[in-house]
Amino acid sequence: MTAKNTATRWGGVSQTLHWVIALLILAMGILGLTMGEFPKTPKYFWIYTLHKSVGITVLALVVARLGWRLYAGAPAPVPGTPTWQERIASATHWLLYVLMFALPLSGWLYDSASGLRPFRWFGLVDVPKLSGPDERTTQLSHAIHEWGFWLLIAVVLAHAGAALYHHFYQRDATLARMLPQRWLASPQKD
């Protein structure tokens, strides 16, 4: 497998970033939905700091992923894909990028505007505040963070559903080209 994307498949860097970000977002979703249920002990604050630290990590990885995509390009659509599907797929990908930026940034802004003490990324580096304490900014950023999460879930399910539809019903290489070649037989070669 090559590091860079080819005309027919995603390269190793794109695949790695895609799946690492997907797993981190899944973990963040589970943590975000359950962390309010933990008892208010010192471990409670550690869980929130973990959530914030992973969120900042996702933001950095999304920046790297977008930079890599701009550098390495993207594979051409699978031959035979209708134009309307190409347009929906493109719009979905860009909406995913918007949401992958909006969620960590809104969470970071929420933390900043809430007036909480500064947190350290995985206990290593102080994370600067994006704003001073402000109730309206806190409410707006929290709403964006919460509703953006549910929109992200809907878009990710549509994205995954489309990939599975292409793999099992269309029997094309849409899903296979985002996986290492040894995982799935792909009708296309590099």
Side-chain angles (χ1 to χ4, degrees):
M1 169 182 4
T2 64
K4 198 169 177 185
N5 303 332
T6 68
T8 59
R9 60 183 289 110
W10 297 97
V13 172
S14 293
Q15 288 180 24
T16 300
L17 288 169
H18 176 275
W19 293 109
V20 167
I21 291 168
L23 288 173
L24 288 175
I25 289 172
L26 175 64
M28 290 290 288
I30 293 168
L31 187 58
L33 290 171
T34 60
M35 65 188 186
E37 305 301 318
F38 289 95
K40 306 288 190 271
T41 65
K43 199 178 276 189
Y44 173 84
F45 297 103
W46 180 86
I47 291 168
Y48 269 80
T49 299
L50 176 65
H51 182 80
K52 296 172 192 180
S53 295
V54 174
I56 296 295
T57 303
V58 168
L59 180 61
L61 289 172
V62 171
V63 168
R65 182 173 177 190
L66 184 57
W68 182 257
R69 181 169 178 165
L70 293 173
Y71 166 74
V78 173
T81 302
T83 304
W84 66 270
Q85 284 184 4
E86 290 177 27
R87 288 184 181 142
I88 291 173
S90 180
T92 300
H93 285 123
W94 288 110
L95 180 57
L96 285 168
Y97 277 111
V98 167
L99 292 168
M100 288 187 295
F101 276 103
L103 265 70
L105 287 172
S106 63
W108 188 0
L109 183 59
Y110 173 64
D111 178 71
S112 299
S114 67
L116 296 172
R117 63 180 171 80
F119 80 96
R120 296 175 62 81
W121 179 77
F122 292 111
L124 302 171
V125 179
D126 287 333
V127 176
K129 295 288 188 179
L130 296 178
S131 76
D134 182 74
E135 184 61 31
R136 292 181 77 190
T137 303
T138 299
Q139 291 173 355
L140 177 63
S141 58
H142 184 264
I144 291 169
H145 195 67
E146 188 171 330
W147 289 104
F149 168 74
W150 293 111
L151 179 58
L152 178 65
I153 293 299
V155 176
V156 165
L157 289 174
H159 176 70
L164 293 171
Y165 168 81
H166 276 275
H167 185 72
F168 291 111
Y169 183 74
Q170 296 289 86
R171 299 194 180 278
D172 65 25
T174 300
L175 175 61
R177 64 193 196 156
M178 185 46 94
L179 296 170
Q181 286 181 317
R182 65 185 176 276
W183 286 20
L184 291 174
S186 172
Q188 297 182 356
K189 302 228 185 244
D190 282 339

